[in-house]
Amino acid sequence: MTLEAILPPERVLYDVPGGSKKRVLEFFSTFIAQNIPSLDSQEVFSRLISREKLGSTGIGNGVAIPHARSPHCHSPIAGFLKLAEAVDFDAIDGEPVDLVFVLLVPEEADDNHLALLGQVAMIMNDANTRLELRRAQSQRHLLDLIIDKIREQPDP
């Protein structure tokens, strides 16, 4: 299972309204439930919020990687959001977040989901990658950049 395989073009979102961490997670939960009928927006939101209560998924440098397990998720699902404005995400460095990579995995997920999370973290830890993603001027440009960065990664 590769990041590219679980991140189709329609789940790379540009200029997403922010407001707050809660609003961003609500937006994604509603969006993903509209795209994947087996998922319920309230259940996805509840699981993402529960994960945040364990500790923020804001990894620093304006990046968050919210993730959760879901019994209605049959294979890993990813989404990438470039926010219109940064939001407070309780990140470890205290900086607001504007790049959000969401990962949902099946309830019985194995080490594969940890490899996917690690791959996302490696991509998003690169300062040049973050700068390029922030400079993207369209959804298409954002999609091309993120896919290029995923393809540059060594296989997990």
Side-chain angles (χ1 to χ4, degrees):
M1 183 66 54
T2 66
L3 264 184
E4 186 175 356
I6 66 170
L7 183 66
E10 65 272 13
R11 290 205 298 261
V12 175
L13 306 176
Y14 175 81
D15 219 17
V16 172
S20 68
K21 172 172 35 174
K22 182 176 181 249
R23 281 208 184 115
V24 169
L25 296 177
E26 281 176 332
F27 173 89
F28 178 79
S29 300
T30 300
F31 169 79
I32 202 66
Q34 289 170 348
N35 285 272
I36 301 174
S38 66
L39 296 177
D40 173 72
S41 64
Q42 284 303 319
E43 192 259 342
V44 170
F45 176 71
S46 173
R47 288 185 176 262
L48 288 170
I49 286 291
S50 294
R51 170 56 189 84
E52 289 299 318
K53 288 178 181 171
L54 295 175
S56 176
T57 58
I59 64 169
N61 298 304
V63 175
I65 310 174
H67 54 279
R69 294 174 183 262
S70 170
H72 306 292
C73 181
H74 305 295
S75 62
I77 296 166
F80 181 73
L81 294 72
K82 179 179 182 278
L83 304 182
E85 66 277 338
V87 300
D88 180 11
F89 223 87
D90 303 314
I92 58 171
D93 62 359
E95 293 296 315
V97 163
D98 63 341
L99 300 174
V100 181
F101 210 120
V102 188
L103 193 60
L104 296 176
V105 296
E107 192 76 60
E108 66 287 345
D110 55 16
D111 290 344
N112 188 33
H113 86 279
L114 295 176
L116 291 169
L117 271 175
Q119 193 177 7
V120 171
M122 280 184 60
I123 292 167
M124 301 310 288
N125 276 332
D126 182 73
N128 287 331
T129 295
R130 292 190 307 270
L131 183 63
E132 288 180 56
L133 292 170
R134 289 186 173 112
R135 287 183 176 165
Q137 295 298 308
S138 68
Q139 191 275 341
R140 182 80 231 174
H141 187 202
L142 186 66
L143 172 64
D144 290 344
L145 282 170
I146 198 71
I147 295 301
D148 285 349
K149 298 303 178 184
I150 289 169
R151 289 178 178 166
E152 289 171 9
Q153 294 299 305
D155 289 330

